[in-house]
Amino acid sequence: MEAVEVRNIVLEIIEDVALDEDLTNLKDEVSLRDQLDLDSMDFLDIVMELKKRHKIEVPQEDYPQLATMQSCVEYLTPKFQ
Amino acid sequence: MTQKYDVIIIGAGMSAMAAGIRLAHYGKKTLILEKHFISGGLNSYYQRGKRKFDVGLHALTNFCGPREKRKPLTKLLKQLRIPYDTFELQEQSHSLISFPERTMKFSNDFNELVEEVAQNFPHEIDGFSKLVSYMEEYNEVALDNETIMAKDVVSKYIKDSLLIEMIFCPLLIYGSAWEDDMDFSQFVIMFKSIYLEGFSRPKGGVRTIIDTLLKRLEESECEVRFRCGVEKIITKDGKAIGVLTTKGEEIHADKILSSAGNPETMKLVNNDLSQDQLPAIGKLSFTETILCTDQRPKELGQDATIIFYNNRDKYSYRRPETLIDNRSSVICLPNNFSNDELDEGWIRLTMMANYPKWKELERNVYLEQKNIVLEESIEIAKKFLPNWDGSFQFKDVFSPTTIERYTGHFQGTVYGSTDKKRDGKTEYENLYLIGTDQGFLGIVGSMLSGVSMANLYGLMD
Ligand SMILES: Cc1cc2nc3c(=O)[nH]c(=O)nc-3n(C[C@H](O)[C@H](O)[C@H](O)COP(=O)(O)OP(=O)(O)OC[C@H]3O[C@@H](n4cnc5c(N)ncnc54)[C@H](O)[C@@H]3O)c2cc1C
């Protein structure tokens, strides 16, 4: 799977988890927490959505990899192969 | 073959529905068992002729705007995947705390209360502000906070007992299981949810919330059975393994979440326990009077949304010695939320009541006493509706025994036991408490409880 597709998958999940947020101007290299009202519970939801929709497991020690959109895509793309 | 679920939830009130949505959404095979024929529990709804009423709803606490960050209400809605706009929240105009010597006003703008305190209690405004700063830093939702009584903490900051009583009055009657005081964490939760955040009403009342939750339960594929109560919680070697329903079915589950209340749940585990072997049964119960008038409260001379009335020097928040306590009350005027959508004027009035006294009444005396509650309610409401002659088109009164009958809460208790279980754990493995007796109550609070207990014990381990 291409990086752009992975980005779309992550974006779809964030759209659902942070459902009242406007994501049109989301900056890929800036921390998600700084741009959106996301707390640790919401990150847990992102992880659980990845598992539910795409059977992808993110172990707890890898949560920091989900900090920005860019790092999400880098970390997750190999997992989608 | 015995039916088997990942999680069984006892009750279909606010906490149970919220927990069910979370668990089922993430693939847990979840079953909600409710003994009543509809959901909502203490905050359900009913119909009389063409009129639709909410059992409980005066106001939704924790008001916040659509994009306010890190607020309990936005967190809750996110966790349940409910867009903010769904409830179309209508804000209060303002509310009053009415004592014999003073009246203070508050609204969804906290500065209004700060100014009222400064004006009425100039010598206390510094202490009040320090208390607010202290509370803003306090983590009231930590599950391991020890129980300390709120009046001990607050009196370090505020000396004037009248101000203390006035601040406590709305917070006690909207959410304390304790008499005349409350746990400090609960005080902070209530202070923030009522004074710092404020009141609103979902368009369409509590039905809008319940219908939304039911829709989310369906979308998440959570199974809900009505008229199917839990008769017994089955345990084996100190572990809960399943339930026996009132229909005689045995259903097994890995986890059981109960919103029935702490003593009520313990009684389901062991029906032989006597009252003094059970967790304490909360003493606070109420009568609620609902009146419909052909004039709206504004025309009758009142534009406040909620009035916390007390005519003693010291506010008494305790089970009265008599059937009701008519010296204090909460008067809710739902027409006075923004955008009045109601067809007629509504007056709702809550008074503290004594369950054992109501319970022992014979049927005809019971009906007479309900009439006296009606008359007392009208007398109190008239104090705040100067242009009202006391006439009405419709009335309904319910008592502590009504609450007990419809919700199963022992002694009609509304805010549950004083033995709260903040971490939700019981002495039985795999059996957890959610809702009121976990410690978070009110509509928003109990839903937050359901969400956090479902996350902690259903999804994270
Ligand atoms: C008159 C009144 C006015 C109120 N006004 C407001 C207000 O304006 N704003 C606000 O925020 N809060 C208000 N509240 C408080 C609020 O309604 C409650 O705090 C909240 O609804 C509690 O939810 P819960 O899930 O903890 O419990 P409950 O609502 O008590 O739910 C428990 C459910 O479990 C079911 N049950 C019990 N035993 C069994 C069993 N053995 N088997 C199966 N099912 C069982 C019951 O039928 C019930 O449906 C009011 C309450 C009352 C009574």
Side-chain angles (χ1 to χ4, degrees), chain B residues 79-338:
Chain B
Q79 288 271 307
L80 299 176
R81 306 282 201 281
I82 297 172
Y84 177 88
D85 294 335
T86 314
F87 293 162
E88 296 181 69
L89 298 178
Q90 327 270 305
E91 290 189 66
Q92 66 165 331
S93 57
H94 61 267
S95 292
L96 299 174
I97 309 168
S98 167
F99 272 50
E101 292 172 51
R102 301 265 163 85
T103 295
M104 285 205 297
K105 192 168 154 178
F106 66 93
S107 68
N108 291 357
D109 174 4
F110 182 63
N111 293 324
E112 198 153 347
L113 181 61
V114 177
E115 274 163 35
E116 290 278 296
V117 173
Q119 227 168 55
N120 286 288
F121 301 92
H123 50 293
E124 295 286 8
I125 187 63
D126 284 345
F128 180 76
S129 302
K130 284 195 185 111
L131 172 66
V132 174
S133 311
Y134 176 66
M135 288 192 288
E136 278 172 334
E137 297 305 315
Y138 191 81
N139 182 9
E140 67 278 12
V141 293
L143 297 182
D144 55 357
N145 283 347
E146 54 178 321
T147 302
I148 29 173
M149 293 321 280
K151 281 188 177 165
D152 293 338
V153 181
V154 172
S155 58
K156 286 187 201 143
Y157 293 88
I158 298 172
K159 301 291 165 230
D160 193 320
S161 61
L162 178 59
L163 177 58
I164 295 180
E165 293 295 316
M166 290 182 87
I167 293 171
F168 268 81
C169 165
L171 312 188
L172 287 168
I173 192 134
Y174 266 6
S176 177
W178 290 266
E179 294 187 316
D180 286 327
D181 204 340
M182 65 209 296
D183 168 44
F184 183 65
S185 295
Q186 177 65 8
F187 175 84
V188 180
I189 291 175
M190 298 296 297
F191 190 98
K192 290 182 179 173
S193 67
I194 292 177
Y195 295 136
L196 285 168
E197 291 157 14
F199 295 140
S200 70
R201 179 178 193 274
K203 192 168 178 217
V206 84
R207 280 177 174 73
T208 305
I209 299 179
I210 292 174
D211 290 347
T212 307
L213 295 173
L214 288 172
K215 181 167 156 269
R216 289 291 302 117
L217 282 169
E218 201 181 317
E219 288 166 354
S220 315
E221 296 178 26
C222 181
E223 191 180 335
V224 188
R225 294 189 202 164
F226 291 104
R227 286 182 195 275
C228 187
V230 169
E231 180 107 4
K232 185 176 172 47
I233 296 172
I234 306 163
T235 57
K236 200 178 160 192
D237 308 326
K239 284 183 192 166
I241 56 162
V243 301
L244 196 65
T245 71
T246 46
K247 298 194 168 151
E249 300 160 291
E250 184 169 323
I251 311 177
H252 287 186
D254 294 338
K255 300 262 166 77
I256 297 172
L257 306 182
S258 172
S259 71
N262 190 359
E264 293 84 351
T265 302
M266 291 306 121
K267 186 95 179 163
L268 288 174
V269 177
N270 183 354
N271 195 32
D272 295 335
L273 294 177
S274 63
Q275 194 172 316
D276 46 300
Q277 292 168 305
L278 289 169
I281 296 168
K283 285 189 174 165
L284 278 314
S285 191
F286 307 100
T287 60
E288 182 86 1
T289 306
I290 301 176
L291 290 161
C292 298
T293 58
D294 55 4
Q295 279 178 300
R296 277 150 211 274
K298 276 200 186 86
E299 299 166 275
L300 300 174
Q302 184 56 257
D303 63 353
T305 308
I306 299 174
I307 301 160
F308 299 89
Y309 159 72
N310 160 53
N311 89 347
R312 293 185 179 91
D313 292 331
K314 192 174 181 312
Y315 177 56
S316 170
Y317 179 71
R318 50 176 46 255
R319 176 186 277 178
E321 300 293 329
T322 44
L323 282 163
I324 53 164
D325 178 355
N326 63 1
R327 298 192 62 186
S328 72
S329 167
V330 184
I331 304 128
C332 172
L333 305 170
N335 301 84
N336 289 343
F337 286 96
S338 60

Side-chain angles (χ1 to χ4, degrees), chain B residues 10-16 33-36 38-44 55-61 174 228-231 259-261 264 268 286-288 348 350 398 403 406-409 414-415 434-437 440-447:
Chain B
I10 303 175
M14 297 292 171
S15 62
L33 295 171
E34 168 59 56
K35 64 175 175 188
H36 202 31
I38 51 170
S39 48
L42 286 164
N43 235 300
S44 192
V55 173
L57 183 73
H58 283 193
L60 198 68
T61 54
Y174 266 6
C228 187
V230 169
E231 180 107 4
S259 71
E264 293 84 351
L268 288 174
F286 307 100
T287 60
E288 182 86 1
R348 301 190 60 122
T350 310
F398 58 84
I403 297 174
Y406 285 104
T407 67
H409 288 300
V414 172
Y415 300 134
I434 60 171
T436 309
D437 280 348
F440 299 158
L441 46 79
I443 297 170
V444 175
S446 55
M447 285 195 277

